[in-house]
Amino acid sequence: IDTGMGLERTAAAVQGKTSVYETDLFAPLIKFVSKLTGKHYGTDEDVDNAMRVVAEHSRGIAFLVADGVLPGNEGRGYVLRRLLRRAALFGRRLGLGKPFLVDIDKVITQQMGHVYPELVNRQDFIYRVIELEEIGFDDTLSTGLELLGDIMEGITSKRKGKISGKQAFKLYDTYGFPIELTAEVAAKRCFSVDLKGFEKEMESQRERA
């Protein structure tokens, strides 16, 4: 680990795997996500990527909350919130229409609780934090995805597939849809987002406030 390989890469080398996601650190999580979604890992690159995001983010979420981090709008709390929301988004892409992160984190607790006892000692708290955040974001995600879809459908070829800063800001300010998710969903459909325009709208709001 001191060489900079990290635990996952070391495990991949020792276990003769070409990917960290094939090691026993991630394989049980990938298998569980596959079971939840009814999709098979290794048959479609987009599905595989979504499964990896959900598995990896879920593990990070569990350890962050176990360390006392709570979802928020600043610092490490914002990192946790972004992980939760991105995992929820990719779960949607896999067809998961209801909260699922607690189910995955229960597998993480079973898998790693003997090494990291804080996962077991604080499991009720961890599950509650994750559940509340995911449920709270579920309506936001549904509304935001629908509105963003309408925006992209309404963009003409003259605008070269670019979502304006005002449109992105309205999604964020009125509906609570994060700019990071707007950019990620848009990129999936070969759209870009005017991030400078978005920042300009943000600055104007600060001045009004």
Side-chain angles (χ1 to χ4, degrees), residues 160-185:
K160 298 180 180 179
K162 191 167 189 175
I163 297 168
S164 72
K166 286 187 176 181
Q167 289 171 319
F169 180 75
K170 184 176 181 180
L171 285 172
Y172 168 79
D173 188 52
T174 305
Y175 302 101
F177 199 73
I179 183 63
E180 297 88 0
L181 292 190
T182 296
E184 186 154 6
V185 173

Side-chain angles (χ1 to χ4, degrees), residues 145-161:
L145 289 174
E146 183 177 350
L147 291 171
L148 182 54
D150 291 342
I151 289 171
M152 289 188 286
E153 290 294 330
I155 290 177
T156 65
S157 58
K158 291 182 179 180
R159 290 176 56 184
K160 298 180 180 179

Side-chain angles (χ1 to χ4, degrees), residues 37-209:
T37 61
K39 300 180 185 297
H40 297 289
Y41 185 77
T43 58
D44 180 273
E45 182 55 36
D46 286 339
V47 170
D48 291 355
N49 181 61
M51 286 187 178
R52 291 193 291 264
V53 169
V54 170
E56 187 173 50
H57 284 19
S58 294
R59 197 178 74 164
I61 289 164
F63 281 105
L64 281 169
V65 180
D67 282 343
V69 181
L70 295 176
N73 294 323
E74 295 181 355
R76 60 183 190 170
Y78 185 59
V79 173
L80 172 59
R81 176 160 282 168
R82 284 188 64 180
L83 288 175
L84 275 156
R85 291 180 171 185
R86 194 162 186 261
L89 172 64
F90 277 81
R92 283 293 188 91
R93 290 181 181 174
L94 290 168
L96 296 172
K98 60 181 181 179
F100 61 90
L101 290 174
V102 168
D103 293 331
I104 298 175
D105 279 305
K106 287 179 180 178
V107 176
I108 294 169
T109 301
Q110 294 172 0
Q111 180 189 15
M112 309 193 79
H114 67 291
V115 182
Y116 299 94
E118 61 268 29
L119 291 174
V120 177
N121 297 336
R122 308 193 72 188
Q123 63 179 351
D124 291 340
F125 173 74
I126 295 169
Y127 300 158
R128 186 61 175 160
V129 169
I130 293 171
E131 181 182 42
L132 288 174
E133 183 71 12
E134 187 177 9
I135 290 174
F137 183 59
D138 191 53
D139 289 340
T140 298
L141 184 58
S142 297
T143 302
L145 289 174
E146 183 177 350
L147 291 171
L148 182 54
D150 291 342
I151 289 171
M152 289 188 286
E153 290 294 330
I155 290 177
T156 65
S157 58
K158 291 182 179 180
R159 290 176 56 184
K160 298 180 180 179
K162 191 167 189 175
I163 297 168
S164 72
K166 286 187 176 181
Q167 289 171 319
F169 180 75
K170 184 176 181 180
L171 285 172
Y172 168 79
D173 188 52
T174 305
Y175 302 101
F177 199 73
I179 183 63
E180 297 88 0
L181 292 190
T182 296
E184 186 154 6
V185 173
K188 187 71 176 176
R189 291 182 54 177
C190 298
F191 281 76
S192 61
V193 180
D194 180 8
L195 296 177
K196 288 185 178 179
F198 173 82
E199 289 299 330
K200 185 177 179 180
E201 294 294 325
M202 284 286 288
E203 185 59 34
S204 295
Q205 186 198 54
R206 294 188 190 101
E207 291 175 2
R208 289 193 298 270

